[in-house]
Amino acid sequence: MIRLIGYFFGIGAFLLLGVAGAVALYLGVVTKDLPDYEVLAKYSPPVTTRFHAGNGALMAEYARERRLYLPIQAIPDRVKAAFISAEDKNFYQHPGVDLTGLARAIAVNLQNFGSGRRPVGASTITQQVAKNFLLSSDQTIDRKVKEAILSFRIEQAYSKDRILELYLNEIFFGLNSYGIAGAALTYFDKSVTELTIAETAYLAALPKGPANYHPFRKTEAAIERRNWVIDRMVENGYVTKADGEEAKKQPLGVNPRRGGAHLFASDFFAEEVRRQIIQKYGDNALYEGGLSVRTSLDPRLQIAARKALQAGLLSYDERRGFHGPVKTIEIGGDWGEPLGAVPAFSDVPEWKLAVVLSVDAQGAEIGIQPDKEASGKIAAERVTGHISAKNMQWAYRSANGDRKSAKSPEGVFGAGDVVYVEPLPEKGEYRLRQPPKVQGGLVAMDPQTGRVLAMVGGFSYGQSEFNRATQAMRQPGSSFKPFVYAAALDNGYTPASVILDAPIEIVAGGQVWRPENYGGGSAGPSTLRLGIEKSRNLMTVRLANDMGMNLVAEYAERFGIYDKMPPLLAMSLGSGETTVLRMVSAYSVLANGGKQIKPSLIDRIQDRYGKTIFRHEDRTCDNCNAGDWQSQDEPVLTDNREQVLDPMTSYQITSMMEGVVLRGTAAGKIKLDRPVAGKTGTTNDEKDAWFVGYTPDIVAGLYLGFDNPAPLGRGATGGSLAVPIFNDFMQEAVKGIRPSKFVVPEGMSMIAVNRKTGMAAYEGEPDTIIEAFKPGTGPADTFSVIGGLDQYVPPEEILKNSPQANQAVTSGSNGLF
């Protein structure tokens, strides 16, 4: 018997050694290619990049995986308790693998064997970290063994809090959200510190299978799973029974956060910043780098710019009639469903889509597009309203080219037509609206720093993402002329220099070019000031010809209007193509005394760790960071920017453009409590209408025109279309800014001159103006004319022998807008 026992013992020992050897060999093979768990120390997950306005308001977010990384210290205990209760209640006790939980899972799986139920897992949070970070999701024994081995090693290398931090920031919650911070924002539009017990429990229920507990498609399953998590929190002592019961009574309350731009009216601005970030750092930095981008956007000015440009576009468009309905649908049954399927502008919340239910001579009964629920379904509620005849009179004229006119609403549209409407203060009353076909762009800038404060690229980003402020290449027309005059003032001319305003022929390449003033006519000899105030084409061509177009081209490139300008005389009238942003940047140089600026939409960029990797401000301050005061001088901010224009020239051209606003092509249309300088512009056939202007504090510029350039119509000039929009915007923009005057550089002489002749005025002489002259210059002693008259002729003789010039100089008629 003893020998038999010894025999079996020997066999058992041999088998045990064999099994141990086989296990050891298996583990050796399995662990041979185990990934390096030390990479967890350098974990840098894809993190959401966030854009902020100048005041810190969140503007937009960009991510492939919507994730905001939170250190464990920033995650509330309640949130940690919910996930531990749902996923691994013994997390802080086990060494990486929960043997008790594993045994329980094996027992349950044996009991359910053959039932078709999915096997119960026993993965700890540590094992999930190992799987998510280092292994695949294959359901194999090899992977489970590797997972367990890595879990033991991870527990030895990292603290429990570090492991939980990795887990809570990595897991997928559905709806493209990763990590607890991203999930809180995605599902509830809240930070993790604001989550309730019920909300926390629902998020803790999701990692098991986000699609199985979808808040809208699987609502009952989601609530059931959430309540199970709440029960586990109560059972584990993290929540009182009373609080748990109260939490289970709450609805899911999911409020999905919309993507894209979050700050109202910032879509065009945010998209331009997005393009710049990609160009500078690449796609991965934007969508995975977790950058924090502080932009220069001023939300108040952005809203004012949007409102002013939209109002101007709509005013022009409605004066030209009704384009027709957006669509026509069947209204025999429930009109809400087909109407809800028609896409509306997401960034024009003032408007609603509506379907015409009936129409008569007094107006139209309409049905308003139902709101969509969070699940995407059309709401069951149906709202109706009324458009009275007086609130759609502008639509009586057709804009389709046939110029037909209706006499009542019955001739405008019929039942089933889908149109845009805007609610009026009277309950149930609406005004007919339509998206304009004319477009435009507007930019506002701080002239001292180049910070872009507002940017609008069209009527609606939802209508068209094309940014007409930065992407549309348009002819600036006469708004380019100030740079021709600036070149002249910088090279020996004065505001009182006299140029002949008379017909001229330019022969080049066998072709004859005969430029004309807007409206025809000419004014004879006139001062530079009069030429820019009344925007004389003929004077500008003669002035450019006298200087040489190479000089004009050099100045245009120096101001950044063009990269390379061909030295053709027609370019002096703004026939080249540029953008609104470039024009506003160039005018900012005139406004700030001639300092070069770099237009910027971005103030600062920080990486995911808070380190500043870009700053727009390039001025230096050597002593600003002194630890204490030791009787040293006050720190001085050093401005290293290039001086691209003489400050005296800058003031002279500013003063001349003040005349544009006071007496010229913008006269009577800008009403501000401070000095304003600016220039109108209208291109050939009235295809574009421009105005760029500035106060000492803000520069703003805009244009209106069709995307496919076409005539805007007779009289559609910069003065009639663009200036009112500029005025509306600036009325709001200067609120809260103390009025100031343009600074006269030291050393300039202020001399009274005759507005007609440019010669010094005697005391009491009528029609005089105070003109600014540089040292060594002043009014001419004799009347001399540039560009046509070589000998001296008394001014009274010129005026006497030229009735047309006399009338034009006196009345200021026939100006180019």
Side-chain angles (χ1 to χ4, degrees), residues 258-287:
R258 73 183 186 93
H262 299 289
L263 194 64
F264 179 62
S266 66
D267 304 81
F268 283 111
F269 199 106
E271 175 59 18
E272 183 63 27
V273 174
R274 187 192 71 86
R275 283 194 289 263
Q276 292 187 13
I277 294 293
I278 290 177
Q279 184 179 16
K280 191 177 183 69
Y281 299 107
D283 280 8
N284 288 339
L286 175 68
Y287 292 106

PDB file of all heavy atoms in Angstrom, residues 258-287:
ATOM      1  N   ARG A 258     -24.454  70.779 -28.598  1.00  0.00           N
ATOM      2  CA  ARG A 258     -24.222  70.838 -30.036  1.00  0.00           C
ATOM      3  C   ARG A 258     -22.753  71.106 -30.305  1.00  0.00           C
ATOM      4  O   ARG A 258     -22.065  71.757 -29.522  1.00  0.00           O
ATOM      5  CB  ARG A 258     -25.077  71.930 -30.701  1.00  0.00           C
ATOM      6  CG  ARG A 258     -24.642  73.359 -30.452  1.00  0.00           C
ATOM      7  CD  ARG A 258     -25.609  74.338 -31.108  1.00  0.00           C
ATOM      8  NE  ARG A 258     -25.169  75.723 -31.011  1.00  0.00           N
ATOM      9  CZ  ARG A 258     -24.463  76.327 -31.948  1.00  0.00           C
ATOM     10  NH1 ARG A 258     -24.106  75.676 -33.034  1.00  0.00           N
ATOM     11  NH2 ARG A 258     -24.108  77.593 -31.825  1.00  0.00           N
ATOM     12  N   GLY A 259     -22.277  70.579 -31.432  1.00  0.00           N
ATOM     13  CA  GLY A 259     -20.892  70.802 -31.799  1.00  0.00           C
ATOM     14  C   GLY A 259     -20.715  72.111 -32.537  1.00  0.00           C
ATOM     15  O   GLY A 259     -21.619  72.931 -32.644  1.00  0.00           O
ATOM     16  N   GLY A 260     -19.521  72.334 -33.097  1.00  0.00           N
ATOM     17  CA  GLY A 260     -19.240  73.549 -33.853  1.00  0.00           C
ATOM     18  C   GLY A 260     -19.075  74.750 -32.946  1.00  0.00           C
ATOM     19  O   GLY A 260     -18.616  74.657 -31.823  1.00  0.00           O
ATOM     20  N   ALA A 261     -19.467  75.924 -33.474  1.00  0.00           N
ATOM     21  CA  ALA A 261     -19.305  77.168 -32.723  1.00  0.00           C
ATOM     22  C   ALA A 261     -20.369  77.269 -31.634  1.00  0.00           C
ATOM     23  O   ALA A 261     -21.540  76.997 -31.861  1.00  0.00           O
ATOM     24  CB  ALA A 261     -19.400  78.367 -33.667  1.00  0.00           C
ATOM     25  N   HIS A 262     -19.952  77.648 -30.436  1.00  0.00           N
ATOM     26  CA  HIS A 262     -20.875  77.779 -29.309  1.00  0.00           C
ATOM     27  C   HIS A 262     -21.255  79.240 -29.063  1.00  0.00           C
ATOM     28  O   HIS A 262     -22.300  79.516 -28.498  1.00  0.00           O
ATOM     29  CB  HIS A 262     -20.228  77.209 -28.049  1.00  0.00           C
ATOM     30  CG  HIS A 262     -19.884  75.755 -28.159  1.00  0.00           C
ATOM     31  ND1 HIS A 262     -20.831  74.760 -28.177  1.00  0.00           N
ATOM     32  CD2 HIS A 262     -18.691  75.134 -28.277  1.00  0.00           C
ATOM     33  CE1 HIS A 262     -20.245  73.580 -28.282  1.00  0.00           C
ATOM     34  NE2 HIS A 262     -18.944  73.779 -28.352  1.00  0.00           N
ATOM     35  N   LEU A 263     -20.400  80.160 -29.453  1.00  0.00           N
ATOM     36  CA  LEU A 263     -20.659  81.576 -29.216  1.00  0.00           C
ATOM     37  C   LEU A 263     -21.459  82.131 -30.386  1.00  0.00           C
ATOM     38  O   LEU A 263     -21.062  81.988 -31.553  1.00  0.00           O
ATOM     39  CB  LEU A 263     -19.336  82.329 -29.052  1.00  0.00           C
ATOM     40  CG  LEU A 263     -19.408  83.734 -28.484  1.00  0.00           C
ATOM     41  CD1 LEU A 263     -19.924  83.716 -27.054  1.00  0.00           C
ATOM     42  CD2 LEU A 263     -18.031  84.388 -28.527  1.00  0.00           C
ATOM     43  N   PHE A 264     -22.582  82.757 -30.096  1.00  0.00           N
ATOM     44  CA  PHE A 264     -23.489  83.223 -31.146  1.00  0.00           C
ATOM     45  C   PHE A 264     -22.767  84.140 -32.127  1.00  0.00           C
ATOM     46  O   PHE A 264     -22.007  85.022 -31.733  1.00  0.00           O
ATOM     47  CB  PHE A 264     -24.669  83.957 -30.511  1.00  0.00           C
ATOM     48  CG  PHE A 264     -25.651  84.497 -31.510  1.00  0.00           C
ATOM     49  CD1 PHE A 264     -26.346  83.652 -32.346  1.00  0.00           C
ATOM     50  CD2 PHE A 264     -25.873  85.865 -31.612  1.00  0.00           C
ATOM     51  CE1 PHE A 264     -27.253  84.137 -33.275  1.00  0.00           C
ATOM     52  CE2 PHE A 264     -26.777  86.373 -32.520  1.00  0.00           C
ATOM     53  CZ  PHE A 264     -27.470  85.500 -33.360  1.00  0.00           C
ATOM     54  N   ALA A 265     -23.017  83.915 -33.407  1.00  0.00           N
ATOM     55  CA  ALA A 265     -22.537  84.737 -34.518  1.00  0.00           C
ATOM     56  C   ALA A 265     -21.050  84.584 -34.787  1.00  0.00           C
ATOM     57  O   ALA A 265     -20.486  85.335 -35.576  1.00  0.00           O
ATOM     58  CB  ALA A 265     -22.861  86.228 -34.288  1.00  0.00           C
ATOM     59  N   SER A 266     -20.383  83.601 -34.184  1.00  0.00           N
ATOM     60  CA  SER A 266     -18.927  83.481 -34.313  1.00  0.00           C
ATOM     61  C   SER A 266     -18.490  82.462 -35.361  1.00  0.00           C
ATOM     62  O   SER A 266     -17.296  82.173 -35.466  1.00  0.00           O
ATOM     63  CB  SER A 266     -18.312  83.094 -32.963  1.00  0.00           C
ATOM     64  OG  SER A 266     -18.715  81.793 -32.574  1.00  0.00           O
ATOM     65  N   ASP A 267     -19.420  81.909 -36.140  1.00  0.00           N
ATOM     66  CA  ASP A 267     -19.090  80.792 -37.041  1.00  0.00           C
ATOM     67  C   ASP A 267     -17.999  81.150 -38.049  1.00  0.00           C
ATOM     68  O   ASP A 267     -17.045  80.383 -38.227  1.00  0.00           O
ATOM     69  CB  ASP A 267     -20.341  80.339 -37.787  1.00  0.00           C
ATOM     70  CG  ASP A 267     -21.464  79.948 -36.852  1.00  0.00           C
ATOM     71  OD1 ASP A 267     -22.162  80.862 -36.361  1.00  0.00           O
ATOM     72  OD2 ASP A 267     -21.632  78.756 -36.600  1.00  0.00           O
ATOM     73  N   PHE A 268     -18.138  82.288 -38.745  1.00  0.00           N
ATOM     74  CA  PHE A 268     -17.134  82.665 -39.738  1.00  0.00           C
ATOM     75  C   PHE A 268     -15.777  82.883 -39.078  1.00  0.00           C
ATOM     76  O   PHE A 268     -14.739  82.477 -39.613  1.00  0.00           O
ATOM     77  CB  PHE A 268     -17.566  83.941 -40.477  1.00  0.00           C
ATOM     78  CG  PHE A 268     -18.631  83.722 -41.511  1.00  0.00           C
ATOM     79  CD1 PHE A 268     -19.915  84.213 -41.320  1.00  0.00           C
ATOM     80  CD2 PHE A 268     -18.357  83.023 -42.681  1.00  0.00           C
ATOM     81  CE1 PHE A 268     -20.901  84.022 -42.272  1.00  0.00           C
ATOM     82  CE2 PHE A 268     -19.343  82.825 -43.645  1.00  0.00           C
ATOM     83  CZ  PHE A 268     -20.618  83.325 -43.437  1.00  0.00           C
ATOM     84  N   PHE A 269     -15.764  83.529 -37.938  1.00  0.00           N
ATOM     85  CA  PHE A 269     -14.520  83.812 -37.228  1.00  0.00           C
ATOM     86  C   PHE A 269     -13.857  82.497 -36.807  1.00  0.00           C
ATOM     87  O   PHE A 269     -12.658  82.286 -37.017  1.00  0.00           O
ATOM     88  CB  PHE A 269     -14.826  84.680 -35.996  1.00  0.00           C
ATOM     89  CG  PHE A 269     -13.629  85.413 -35.449  1.00  0.00           C
ATOM     90  CD1 PHE A 269     -13.499  86.774 -35.635  1.00  0.00           C
ATOM     91  CD2 PHE A 269     -12.649  84.749 -34.747  1.00  0.00           C
ATOM     92  CE1 PHE A 269     -12.402  87.458 -35.128  1.00  0.00           C
ATOM     93  CE2 PHE A 269     -11.555  85.417 -34.232  1.00  0.00           C
ATOM     94  CZ  PHE A 269     -11.424  86.777 -34.424  1.00  0.00           C
ATOM     95  N   ALA A 270     -14.638  81.602 -36.198  1.00  0.00           N
ATOM     96  CA  ALA A 270     -14.093  80.333 -35.723  1.00  0.00           C
ATOM     97  C   ALA A 270     -13.533  79.507 -36.867  1.00  0.00           C
ATOM     98  O   ALA A 270     -12.471  78.879 -36.733  1.00  0.00           O
ATOM     99  CB  ALA A 270     -15.165  79.547 -34.977  1.00  0.00           C
ATOM    100  N   GLU A 271     -14.210  79.495 -38.000  1.00  0.00           N
ATOM    101  CA  GLU A 271     -13.742  78.712 -39.139  1.00  0.00           C
ATOM    102  C   GLU A 271     -12.428  79.264 -39.688  1.00  0.00           C
ATOM    103  O   GLU A 271     -11.541  78.509 -40.084  1.00  0.00           O
ATOM    104  CB  GLU A 271     -14.813  78.695 -40.236  1.00  0.00           C
ATOM    105  CG  GLU A 271     -14.409  78.003 -41.519  1.00  0.00           C
ATOM    106  CD  GLU A 271     -14.027  76.544 -41.346  1.00  0.00           C
ATOM    107  OE1 GLU A 271     -14.374  75.938 -40.303  1.00  0.00           O
ATOM    108  OE2 GLU A 271     -13.360  75.996 -42.247  1.00  0.00           O
ATOM    109  N   GLU A 272     -12.278  80.587 -39.687  1.00  0.00           N
ATOM    110  CA  GLU A 272     -11.022  81.177 -40.157  1.00  0.00           C
ATOM    111  C   GLU A 272      -9.882  80.830 -39.202  1.00  0.00           C
ATOM    112  O   GLU A 272      -8.765  80.527 -39.641  1.00  0.00           O
ATOM    113  CB  GLU A 272     -11.163  82.701 -40.275  1.00  0.00           C
ATOM    114  CG  GLU A 272      -9.942  83.409 -40.824  1.00  0.00           C
ATOM    115  CD  GLU A 272      -9.595  82.993 -42.250  1.00  0.00           C
ATOM    116  OE1 GLU A 272     -10.502  82.580 -42.994  1.00  0.00           O
ATOM    117  OE2 GLU A 272      -8.413  83.091 -42.624  1.00  0.00           O
ATOM    118  N   VAL A 273     -10.144  80.844 -37.901  1.00  0.00           N
ATOM    119  CA  VAL A 273      -9.119  80.443 -36.928  1.00  0.00           C
ATOM    120  C   VAL A 273      -8.772  78.966 -37.118  1.00  0.00           C
ATOM    121  O   VAL A 273      -7.596  78.583 -37.054  1.00  0.00           O
ATOM    122  CB  VAL A 273      -9.606  80.704 -35.487  1.00  0.00           C
ATOM    123  CG1 VAL A 273      -8.605  80.153 -34.470  1.00  0.00           C
ATOM    124  CG2 VAL A 273      -9.801  82.200 -35.256  1.00  0.00           C
ATOM    125  N   ARG A 274      -9.785  78.144 -37.356  1.00  0.00           N
ATOM    126  CA  ARG A 274      -9.536  76.712 -37.577  1.00  0.00           C
ATOM    127  C   ARG A 274      -8.593  76.494 -38.755  1.00  0.00           C
ATOM    128  O   ARG A 274      -7.642  75.707 -38.676  1.00  0.00           O
ATOM    129  CB  ARG A 274     -10.862  75.984 -37.833  1.00  0.00           C
ATOM    130  CG  ARG A 274     -10.739  74.461 -37.901  1.00  0.00           C
ATOM    131  CD  ARG A 274     -12.013  73.827 -38.446  1.00  0.00           C
ATOM    132  NE  ARG A 274     -12.184  74.092 -39.862  1.00  0.00           N
ATOM    133  CZ  ARG A 274     -11.649  73.340 -40.829  1.00  0.00           C
ATOM    134  NH1 ARG A 274     -10.931  72.281 -40.519  1.00  0.00           N
ATOM    135  NH2 ARG A 274     -11.836  73.657 -42.095  1.00  0.00           N
ATOM    136  N   ARG A 275      -8.824  77.214 -39.850  1.00  0.00           N
ATOM    137  CA  ARG A 275      -7.955  77.076 -41.016  1.00  0.00           C
ATOM    138  C   ARG A 275      -6.533  77.500 -40.699  1.00  0.00           C
ATOM    139  O   ARG A 275      -5.567  76.874 -41.140  1.00  0.00           O
ATOM    140  CB  ARG A 275      -8.510  77.895 -42.191  1.00  0.00           C
ATOM    141  CG  ARG A 275      -9.686  77.243 -42.901  1.00  0.00           C
ATOM    142  CD  ARG A 275      -9.956  77.912 -44.235  1.00  0.00           C
ATOM    143  NE  ARG A 275     -10.518  79.241 -44.068  1.00  0.00           N
ATOM    144  CZ  ARG A 275     -11.815  79.509 -44.123  1.00  0.00           C
ATOM    145  NH1 ARG A 275     -12.678  78.534 -44.308  1.00  0.00           N
ATOM    146  NH2 ARG A 275     -12.250  80.739 -43.971  1.00  0.00           N
ATOM    147  N   GLN A 276      -6.387  78.569 -39.923  1.00  0.00           N
ATOM    148  CA  GLN A 276      -5.048  79.045 -39.580  1.00  0.00           C
ATOM    149  C   GLN A 276      -4.310  78.060 -38.678  1.00  0.00           C
ATOM    150  O   GLN A 276      -3.099  77.855 -38.825  1.00  0.00           O
ATOM    151  CB  GLN A 276      -5.141  80.418 -38.922  1.00  0.00           C
ATOM    152  CG  GLN A 276      -5.591  81.520 -39.862  1.00  0.00           C
ATOM    153  CD  GLN A 276      -5.510  82.907 -39.238  1.00  0.00           C
ATOM    154  OE1 GLN A 276      -4.909  83.104 -38.183  1.00  0.00           O
ATOM    155  NE2 GLN A 276      -6.121  83.881 -39.889  1.00  0.00           N
ATOM    156  N   ILE A 277      -5.024  77.443 -37.736  1.00  0.00           N
ATOM    157  CA  ILE A 277      -4.393  76.465 -36.849  1.00  0.00           C
ATOM    158  C   ILE A 277      -3.908  75.264 -37.654  1.00  0.00           C
ATOM    159  O   ILE A 277      -2.783  74.758 -37.445  1.00  0.00           O
ATOM    160  CB  ILE A 277      -5.373  76.010 -35.748  1.00  0.00           C
ATOM    161  CG1 ILE A 277      -5.700  77.177 -34.807  1.00  0.00           C
ATOM    162  CG2 ILE A 277      -4.791  74.844 -34.963  1.00  0.00           C
ATOM    163  CD1 ILE A 277      -4.546  77.658 -33.984  1.00  0.00           C
ATOM    164  N   ILE A 278      -4.718  74.779 -38.583  1.00  0.00           N
ATOM    165  CA  ILE A 278      -4.313  73.649 -39.425  1.00  0.00           C
ATOM    166  C   ILE A 278      -3.101  74.015 -40.268  1.00  0.00           C
ATOM    167  O   ILE A 278      -2.154  73.235 -40.409  1.00  0.00           O
ATOM    168  CB  ILE A 278      -5.486  73.191 -40.317  1.00  0.00           C
ATOM    169  CG1 ILE A 278      -6.575  72.530 -39.462  1.00  0.00           C
ATOM    170  CG2 ILE A 278      -5.006  72.234 -41.404  1.00  0.00           C
ATOM    171  CD1 ILE A 278      -7.802  72.119 -40.251  1.00  0.00           C
ATOM    172  N   GLN A 279      -3.109  75.224 -40.830  1.00  0.00           N
ATOM    173  CA  GLN A 279      -1.986  75.663 -41.656  1.00  0.00           C
ATOM    174  C   GLN A 279      -0.704  75.777 -40.832  1.00  0.00           C
ATOM    175  O   GLN A 279       0.391  75.467 -41.310  1.00  0.00           O
ATOM    176  CB  GLN A 279      -2.326  77.009 -42.306  1.00  0.00           C
ATOM    177  CG  GLN A 279      -1.255  77.513 -43.259  1.00  0.00           C
ATOM    178  CD  GLN A 279      -1.648  78.834 -43.901  1.00  0.00           C
ATOM    179  OE1 GLN A 279      -2.549  79.525 -43.447  1.00  0.00           O
ATOM    180  NE2 GLN A 279      -0.975  79.198 -44.973  1.00  0.00           N
ATOM    181  N   LYS A 280      -0.837  76.188 -39.584  1.00  0.00           N
ATOM    182  CA  LYS A 280       0.336  76.435 -38.736  1.00  0.00           C
ATOM    183  C   LYS A 280       0.854  75.175 -38.057  1.00  0.00           C
ATOM    184  O   LYS A 280       2.066  74.950 -37.963  1.00  0.00           O
ATOM    185  CB  LYS A 280      -0.032  77.488 -37.686  1.00  0.00           C
ATOM    186  CG  LYS A 280       1.152  78.053 -36.906  1.00  0.00           C
ATOM    187  CD  LYS A 280       0.668  79.138 -35.957  1.00  0.00           C
ATOM    188  CE  LYS A 280       1.818  79.786 -35.206  1.00  0.00           C
ATOM    189  NZ  LYS A 280       2.679  80.591 -36.083  1.00  0.00           N
ATOM    190  N   TYR A 281      -0.082  74.309 -37.589  1.00  0.00           N
ATOM    191  CA  TYR A 281       0.327  73.165 -36.774  1.00  0.00           C
ATOM    192  C   TYR A 281      -0.111  71.812 -37.330  1.00  0.00           C
ATOM    193  O   TYR A 281       0.366  70.780 -36.856  1.00  0.00           O
ATOM    194  CB  TYR A 281      -0.227  73.310 -35.348  1.00  0.00           C
ATOM    195  CG  TYR A 281       0.277  74.532 -34.628  1.00  0.00           C
ATOM    196  CD1 TYR A 281      -0.564  75.626 -34.425  1.00  0.00           C
ATOM    197  CD2 TYR A 281       1.574  74.610 -34.162  1.00  0.00           C
ATOM    198  CE1 TYR A 281      -0.116  76.759 -33.767  1.00  0.00           C
ATOM    199  CE2 TYR A 281       2.045  75.742 -33.494  1.00  0.00           C
ATOM    200  CZ  TYR A 281       1.190  76.810 -33.304  1.00  0.00           C
ATOM    201  OH  TYR A 281       1.640  77.929 -32.652  1.00  0.00           O
ATOM    202  N   GLY A 282      -1.047  71.785 -38.276  1.00  0.00           N
ATOM    203  CA  GLY A 282      -1.496  70.528 -38.848  1.00  0.00           C
ATOM    204  C   GLY A 282      -2.794  70.020 -38.240  1.00  0.00           C
ATOM    205  O   GLY A 282      -3.247  70.482 -37.190  1.00  0.00           O
ATOM    206  N   ASP A 283      -3.383  69.021 -38.901  1.00  0.00           N
ATOM    207  CA  ASP A 283      -4.673  68.452 -38.484  1.00  0.00           C
ATOM    208  C   ASP A 283      -4.622  67.832 -37.100  1.00  0.00           C
ATOM    209  O   ASP A 283      -5.525  68.022 -36.276  1.00  0.00           O
ATOM    210  CB  ASP A 283      -5.117  67.380 -39.489  1.00  0.00           C
ATOM    211  CG  ASP A 283      -5.740  67.985 -40.732  1.00  0.00           C
ATOM    212  OD1 ASP A 283      -5.693  69.212 -40.867  1.00  0.00           O
ATOM    213  OD2 ASP A 283      -6.268  67.234 -41.561  1.00  0.00           O
ATOM    214  N   ASN A 284      -3.572  67.055 -36.837  1.00  0.00           N
ATOM    215  CA  ASN A 284      -3.518  66.330 -35.565  1.00  0.00           C
ATOM    216  C   ASN A 284      -3.459  67.269 -34.376  1.00  0.00           C
ATOM    217  O   ASN A 284      -4.054  67.003 -33.324  1.00  0.00           O
ATOM    218  CB  ASN A 284      -2.320  65.383 -35.548  1.00  0.00           C
ATOM    219  CG  ASN A 284      -2.524  64.189 -36.463  1.00  0.00           C
ATOM    220  OD1 ASN A 284      -3.653  63.858 -36.813  1.00  0.00           O
ATOM    221  ND2 ASN A 284      -1.443  63.558 -36.871  1.00  0.00           N
ATOM    222  N   ALA A 285      -2.733  68.366 -34.513  1.00  0.00           N
ATOM    223  CA  ALA A 285      -2.661  69.325 -33.413  1.00  0.00           C
ATOM    224  C   ALA A 285      -4.026  69.917 -33.116  1.00  0.00           C
ATOM    225  O   ALA A 285      -4.388  70.138 -31.955  1.00  0.00           O
ATOM    226  CB  ALA A 285      -1.659  70.442 -33.743  1.00  0.00           C
ATOM    227  N   LEU A 286      -4.821  70.174 -34.174  1.00  0.00           N
ATOM    228  CA  LEU A 286      -6.136  70.759 -33.970  1.00  0.00           C
ATOM    229  C   LEU A 286      -7.098  69.758 -33.351  1.00  0.00           C
ATOM    230  O   LEU A 286      -7.790  70.064 -32.374  1.00  0.00           O
ATOM    231  CB  LEU A 286      -6.706  71.254 -35.298  1.00  0.00           C
ATOM    232  CG  LEU A 286      -8.143  71.780 -35.233  1.00  0.00           C
ATOM    233  CD1 LEU A 286      -8.204  73.071 -34.430  1.00  0.00           C
ATOM    234  CD2 LEU A 286      -8.708  72.007 -36.637  1.00  0.00           C
ATOM    235  N   TYR A 287      -7.161  68.549 -33.897  1.00  0.00           N
ATOM    236  CA  TYR A 287      -8.201  67.603 -33.500  1.00  0.00           C
ATOM    237  C   TYR A 287      -7.783  66.665 -32.362  1.00  0.00           C
ATOM    238  O   TYR A 287      -8.626  65.970 -31.807  1.00  0.00           O
ATOM    239  CB  TYR A 287      -8.632  66.779 -34.706  1.00  0.00           C
ATOM    240  CG  TYR A 287      -9.353  67.603 -35.745  1.00  0.00           C
ATOM    241  CD1 TYR A 287      -8.728  67.959 -36.935  1.00  0.00           C
ATOM    242  CD2 TYR A 287     -10.647  68.062 -35.525  1.00  0.00           C
ATOM    243  CE1 TYR A 287      -9.383  68.731 -37.883  1.00  0.00           C
ATOM    244  CE2 TYR A 287     -11.311  68.828 -36.463  1.00  0.00           C
ATOM    245  CZ  TYR A 287     -10.677  69.167 -37.641  1.00  0.00           C
ATOM    246  OH  TYR A 287     -11.327  69.936 -38.569  1.00  0.00           O
TER     247      TYR A 287
END
